[in-house]
Amino acid sequence: QLVESGGGSVQAGGSLRLSCVASAVTYRINCMAWFRQAPGKEREGVAAITNHGITRYPDSVKGRFTISRDNAENTLYPQMDSLKPEDTAMYVCAADTAPPWSQVLSPISYTHWGKGTQVTVS
């Protein structure tokens, strides 16, 4: 089970930190990732982190988003800085066991999904 929180509205240039709380089993054995989906657009991977702490980002957010894990709290965080209006979307947490690294930002690699939290940048 994955439960996201922390979404909201922010002005361009601002920052937000989302969180995703996972069950202990889900958190420890899985690669975890954040995706986003804007109306009329495909779901896009914005950050992924393995259970060994290796991260990956697409060029669209590289240098602005940072994903991290709090192992004591079974929680996944994306820190999102320098937000742009085009970052507006529903942000969703995902988890799965060892997806291929080449597909770690692809939604087809994940079977466990949260319900999402809305981020609006104006």
Side-chain angles (χ1 to χ4, degrees), residues 4-21:
E4 304 95 333
S5 63
S9 297
V10 63
Q11 291 188 338
S15 299
L16 274 177
R17 189 169 85 152
L18 309 181
S19 64
C20 171
V21 179

Side-chain angles (χ1 to χ4, degrees), residues 58-72:
D59 289 342
S60 59
V61 307
K62 197 173 292 183
R64 301 190 297 121
F65 289 15
T66 304
I67 192 170
S68 61
R69 303 173 71 134
D70 183 332
N71 294 334

Side-chain angles (χ1 to χ4, degrees), residues 8 21 24 32 34 40 45 48 51 53 72 76 85 92 94 99 101 108:
V21 179
M32 300 187 73
W34 282 95
N51 54 354
L76 180 73
V92 186
W101 190 242
I108 65 173

